[in-house]
Amino acid sequence: MSRLALSHRNVFILPSRTGWAFAGLLVAMLLTAINYQNSLIYGLTFWLVSLGHGTIWLTFRNLSGLEMSAGKVESCCAGESLQLPVRISSARNWAVAVAVGYPGETEQDFTLAPGESLEAALTRRTLKRGRLPLKRIRVETEYPFGLFRAWSWVALDFDVVVYPKPEFTPVHLSAGDGDEIEGTAMALIGRDDVSGIREYGRGDSMNQISWKHTARTGSPKSFEREQEQGVMCLLDWESLKGLEPEVRLSRLASWVDQAEALGWQYGLSIPGVEISAATGSEHRHRCLKALALWGEGE
């Protein structure tokens, strides 16, 4: 689920190490009081017992009513650390102090004022491409005295896709006659047609000025050009014959990033997936997601 509220149904509590030592001390004090029939020791022992009993409620109250929800995740490449945004809010009229994190990862400590909410970025290491299986988040507290530990496991729905780790190699494009050239060295192609005449704009080059219309009207005029500049290419699985599938995916991921950085229109062709040429961050995500999930359904 994308949002979860903690309550007595999903919060667990047990004594901490300090709590067990405290319990042992109480037993020793009670035995001493019985042996010596000392009223002062009796009174101190029972006062500490009541303090410990009240601590159970105070510790449980830190998690009771706490709400956690999943935020939008920015995808990353295999081998990088993923940031998982989690919004934590306290709907109660008291302050809470909690620690949140994934098993095996560094926990983060937070203190929330009554009614306050904050967004925490939990770190998760990624090892391979594809959908990242997320374990349940552990949220716990030992506030206020560290005698008891209350905890809960929270499963939030994160749509996480880890891209293949890019293996940088220059992009190779077909020149149209069977030859190949490096895309990084390829000049931009396209057409530059005149679509009309407009008023001269600051920054227009001398080549854009229409001297004929300027002389006729007496005011500077410039050509309105229809520009379609850029490279249109297809990043093809078959252009990497002889390489292992994972190597092909890594190189294609690198080519996608290079084509996007250069402003090219690019398509992607891998077994079972054909993506037509386009550009932009959404198109890049679509291509990299196709590479990340390739072969998972088999």
Side-chain angles (χ1 to χ4, degrees):
M1 61 185 63
S2 59
R3 188 178 185 89
L4 179 66
L6 302 183
S7 65
H8 65 281
R9 296 182 178 181
N10 48 24
V11 174
F12 310 94
I13 185 169
L14 281 175
S16 63
R17 291 183 178 180
T18 304
W20 286 117
F22 180 74
L25 176 63
L26 292 179
V27 171
M29 291 178 63
L30 180 60
L31 294 177
T32 301
I34 293 174
N35 184 59
Y36 292 101
Q37 290 297 308
N38 189 305
S39 299
L40 182 60
I41 300 178
Y42 270 122
L44 180 59
T45 301
F46 292 134
W47 178 78
L48 291 176
V49 169
S50 64
L51 179 65
H53 188 270
T55 302
I56 297 176
W57 162 244
L58 293 174
T59 304
F60 169 79
R61 192 180 71 167
N62 266 284
L63 299 186
S64 177
L66 202 67
E67 294 184 353
M68 302 179 66
S69 58
K72 184 178 180 181
V73 182
E74 295 293 335
S75 298
C76 70
C77 298
E80 297 177 350
S81 293
L82 186 68
Q83 300 295 319
L84 300 172
V86 177
R87 177 160 289 276
I88 307 171
S89 58
S90 173
R92 303 297 186 181
N93 294 323
W94 53 74
V96 298
V98 296
V100 183
Y102 277 98
E105 305 287 350
T106 303
E107 291 186 338
Q108 299 186 39
D109 298 322
F110 305 99
T111 300
L112 281 73
E116 182 185 8
S117 63
L118 57 84
E119 186 169 287
L122 304 183
T123 302
R124 182 71 188 276
R125 291 189 298 270
T126 61
L127 300 177
K128 60 181 182 178
R129 67 175 178 88
R131 294 197 181 276
L132 180 65
L134 294 175
K135 300 178 181 179
R136 293 178 297 172
I137 300 172
R138 180 181 175 92
V139 52
E140 64 180 15
T141 182
E142 293 186 2
Y143 181 84
F145 302 125
L147 299 179
F148 294 89
R149 176 182 291 110
W151 76 93
S152 183
W153 295 99
V154 180
L156 298 177
D157 290 334
F158 289 101
D159 184 16
V160 181
V161 176
V162 180
Y163 302 149
K165 183 178 180 180
E167 180 183 318
F168 180 82
T169 55
V171 183
H172 288 272
L173 303 176
S174 173
D177 56 0
D179 297 329
E180 288 190 348
I181 57 177
E182 288 193 2
T184 52
M186 186 174 185
L188 296 181
I189 61 175
R191 73 169 185 263
D192 195 4
D193 299 333
V194 176
S195 60
I197 303 297
R198 59 173 174 80
E199 295 292 333
Y200 173 80
R202 185 175 181 181
D204 289 347
S205 65
M206 297 296 290
N207 292 332
Q208 287 183 265
I209 298 177
S210 173
W211 299 105
K212 179 179 178 181
H213 290 85
T214 298
R216 182 182 302 172
T217 61
S219 62
K221 301 292 183 180
S222 296
F223 291 115
E224 183 75 39
R225 298 184 184 276
E226 182 179 316
Q227 297 180 346
E228 293 184 3
Q229 292 186 337
V231 173
M232 182 177 292
C233 61
L234 179 66
L235 308 178
D236 193 0
W237 175 276
E238 295 301 325
S239 66
L240 296 170
K241 290 182 179 180
L243 298 178
E244 294 293 329
E246 291 301 324
V247 177
R248 294 193 192 191
L249 293 172
S250 294
R251 292 196 178 181
L252 287 171
S254 173
W255 291 1
V256 167
D257 285 338
Q258 292 180 62
E260 181 65 32
L262 292 169
W264 295 352
Q265 292 194 29
Y266 55 93
L268 179 66
S269 176
I270 59 177
V273 179
E274 294 286 340
I275 300 178
S276 57
T279 189
S281 59
E282 291 186 4
H283 179 67
R284 172 182 175 270
H285 171 71
R286 184 184 175 192
C287 292
L288 291 177
K289 183 176 180 180
L291 294 173
L293 300 181
W294 182 82
E296 284 198 351
E298 299 178 357

